[in-house]
Amino acid sequence: MVEKSDIKKIEEILNDKKKKSVVMLAPSFVVDFSYPEIVDMLKKLGFDKVVEVTFGAKMINREYHKILKSSKEMKIASVCPGIVELIKKKFPGYKKNLVKVDSPMIAMGKVCKKTYEGYDVVFVSPCGFKKREASNSKYVDHVINYKELEKLLKKYNVLPSSKKIHFDKFYNDYTKIYPVSGGLFKTARLKGIVKKDKAKIKDGLRGVVKILEKKPEKKYQFLDITFCTGGCIGGPSVMSDKSIKKRKKAIKNYLKKAKKENIPEPKKGLIEHAKGISFRNKCF
């Protein structure tokens, strides 16, 4: 898949003193970058605000909870744009089963557009599918991947420091596990709504295709499936050469660290921040 690069446009934004920008990090970033150093580095690079997509994931979880609670047919998670594209092209019969809710990226983009009016919204992604998804949305202006971010940091000689800076706003801890396969099912509080034997968690194209070929609606109530092996931590733009097991451990350690952080109230992701925003998606 050939990816269109937004890196030059983003450089223009960062070098234009009249423009304001907010950058959104997917929690899978800890596989390639250190926290909280990366927050300070992004500020040094020129971004005015730095947030994490975890609050968007939290909002999406609330919608999944409602939908699965009332659904009588099998539902397929639509948080992974790679899966959405796969189903549209190869398994169109299951389009009706896709959960009609935004991805965490788009959800967070909506929140940022409301909160930081007039800012350019940039997303840092572990894969190219999200670039395509963003190009069809008015809520995310530009996307760069981890490799492109690394290039920018090196180009402008941005180095980590001992300065500890938290994300500017929308802090949320438990959805930091989202980029790991099954992260949605584990965090959407579906106990009592979807039994474990009625949910199927699968990652990796080959395994997902096998499931979709075997009429899963006869056996499952919910498919939490992701295109890349391991989930987003296995995205093609992730630079790490560590095993999926070690990448998963990095996410778990990040979650543990987050739970111990003393985050001031204004930086936390509160439901009221999303007041008036609809996270339902009718495009599928």
Side-chain angles (χ1 to χ4, degrees), residues 112-163:
C112 286
K113 285 291 186 183
K114 176 189 175 184
T115 307
Y116 302 117
E117 190 175 352
Y119 282 54
D120 280 279
V121 176
V122 176
F123 177 66
V124 184
S125 170
C127 80
F129 285 113
K130 288 180 173 63
K131 286 191 176 186
R132 290 194 202 176
E133 183 185 19
S135 68
N136 295 317
S137 172
K138 62 182 180 180
Y139 300 105
V140 180
D141 300 301
H142 305 287
V143 181
I144 55 174
N145 61 38
Y146 293 168
K147 294 176 183 178
E148 291 171 320
L149 174 57
E150 179 73 1
K151 286 182 181 179
L152 277 177
L153 293 171
K154 286 183 177 180
K155 180 176 180 178
Y156 292 95
N157 196 31
V158 178
L159 301 174
S161 69
S162 57
K163 196 174 182 180

Side-chain angles (χ1 to χ4, degrees), residues 64-119:
Y64 272 75
H65 186 95
K66 295 173 189 174
I67 290 171
L68 288 168
K69 190 174 183 179
S70 60
S71 177
K72 293 183 180 179
E73 65 176 2
M74 181 192 72
K75 292 296 182 184
I76 302 174
S78 59
V79 294
C80 172
I83 289 297
V84 173
E85 282 197 30
L86 173 69
I87 288 176
K88 285 182 175 181
K89 292 179 180 179
K90 302 294 184 181
F91 300 93
Y94 286 121
K95 280 174 62 176
K96 68 182 186 300
N97 299 93
L98 286 167
V99 177
K100 294 178 175 57
V101 171
D102 292 324
S103 69
M105 175 186 73
I106 298 300
M108 199 66 221
K110 287 182 175 181
V111 174
C112 286
K113 285 291 186 183
K114 176 189 175 184
T115 307
Y116 302 117
E117 190 175 352
Y119 282 54

